[in-house]
Amino acid sequence: GRLMAVDAAPPAAVSAALTETEVQVASNFRGAQIVLYGAVFDPAQRPSDVVVIVRGPEQPVRIARKVRVGPLWLNSRPVVFQGAPGFYIAASTRPLDEIARFRTLRELGAGVDHLPIRAPDEQRVETRYGVRDVVVSRLGPDYLLWRRAVVRLKEKAGLYAADEHGVRFVDRGLFRAEIALPAQAPTGQYRADILLFQDGEPVSVRTRTLTVEKVGVERTLYVWAHERPWLYGIVAMALALAAGWAASFALRRD
């Protein structure tokens, strides 16, 4: 018989946009609600999941733990972790471990457990068996405990979160996601990755950016402190001295 050519289904694609791309932070800032709308384009109408990952600017995290020395509790030597975003949320149509395999999530950094948080100052290279170099951490078996402490502190501050049903399809192929940005969210450039999953694999991705910036007096002081730190320090010291002198003068008058 004659073989018939069967056309493969065209690939699916995702598109999305933020309702606002700039968030202005003033002295009365109490947080913001970021809304994202998107659409899945798939003529074959295959089952799809959408994951929205929003990352804030990276910030080093310095952490110590309490250790008992005799009758006293003291802070241990601090450990500095790198690679931790200042803000992170993964919103999805259902739990991430139902959408993709562990390895896929790890490669994508999807979920707080898969963030590439490292303590490079604690790492060293050892030659084992005389044939290969291995990177090990001085923190030893406690490394995961330290890493979990970093994540727990961020979660407690409302800066890390997972919303297993934060993406909702509102019509055929159309979806919506809301991202809560807390008042203590860091300023800077944010990145939103919108990933379309089918059969456990990411088949399409779009990236959008969001800027969180200070405005008004807060921005003036922020820019001044970063561009002219020596002058900012002198003025801050002069203001502190003036305030102290004024208080002392008022007390003497009393």
Side-chain angles (χ1 to χ4, degrees), residues 8-248:
V14 67
S15 182
L18 296 166
T19 55
E20 56 183 316
T21 57
E22 292 184 4
V23 174
Q24 297 185 338
V25 178
S27 58
N28 60 347
F29 183 67
R30 296 294 179 267
Q33 202 76 7
I34 309 302
V35 181
L36 178 144
Y37 285 97
V40 174
F41 302 97
D42 184 9
Q45 296 185 9
R46 288 159 286 204
S48 300
D49 282 292
V50 175
V51 177
V52 175
I53 299 173
V54 179
R55 296 179 175 89
E58 193 174 300
Q59 292 181 326
V61 178
R62 186 183 180 92
I63 187 172
R65 65 179 179 181
K66 296 290 185 181
V67 293
R68 188 162 189 170
V69 180
L72 303 176
W73 286 94
L74 304 174
N75 286 334
S76 68
R77 179 176 63 86
V79 175
V80 179
F81 281 85
Q82 306 285 349
F87 175 84
Y88 181 93
I89 187 170
S92 50
T93 46
R94 55 188 174 130
L96 289 173
D97 57 4
E98 296 180 10
I99 293 176
R101 294 184 295 272
F102 179 93
R103 180 177 178 181
T104 302
L105 297 174
R106 176 57 56 90
E107 290 174 349
L108 295 170
V112 293
D113 291 336
H114 302 295
L115 288 174
I117 302 174
R118 299 285 183 269
D121 293 341
E122 306 300 323
Q123 293 178 344
R124 66 181 185 275
V125 178
E126 291 184 354
T127 301
R128 296 190 176 180
Y129 313 113
V131 293
R132 62 193 180 103
D133 292 334
V134 178
V135 177
V136 297
S137 174
R138 295 186 183 92
L139 302 177
D142 288 342
Y143 168 76
L144 287 179
L145 296 177
W146 284 85
R147 188 189 185 284
R148 289 192 193 109
V150 172
V151 172
R152 190 167 59 249
L153 288 171
K154 292 283 190 178
E155 289 175 333
K156 187 176 180 180
L159 294 170
Y160 281 12
D163 191 346
E164 297 179 345
H165 301 288
V167 180
R168 294 184 298 107
F169 280 99
V170 295
D171 201 350
R172 177 181 292 184
L174 301 178
F175 61 87
R176 182 179 189 271
E178 287 189 16
I179 305 298
L181 199 66
Q184 60 271 36
T187 57
Q189 194 84 356
Y190 284 60
R191 168 176 163 171
D193 292 321
I194 303 94
L195 301 104
L196 174 65
F197 283 83
Q198 292 181 340
D199 295 325
E201 296 296 331
V203 296
S204 179
V205 61
R206 291 292 180 270
T207 299
R208 301 292 180 260
T209 57
L210 170 72
T211 301
V212 178
E213 62 178 356
K214 295 181 182 292
V215 294
V217 176
E218 289 80 8
R219 174 165 177 78
T220 301
L221 293 175
Y222 179 83
V223 172
W224 198 17
H226 284 75
E227 293 185 354
R228 295 181 176 85
W230 57 272
L231 185 57
Y232 177 83
I234 291 173
V235 172
M237 186 181 299
L239 290 174
L241 290 173
W245 176 83
S248 175

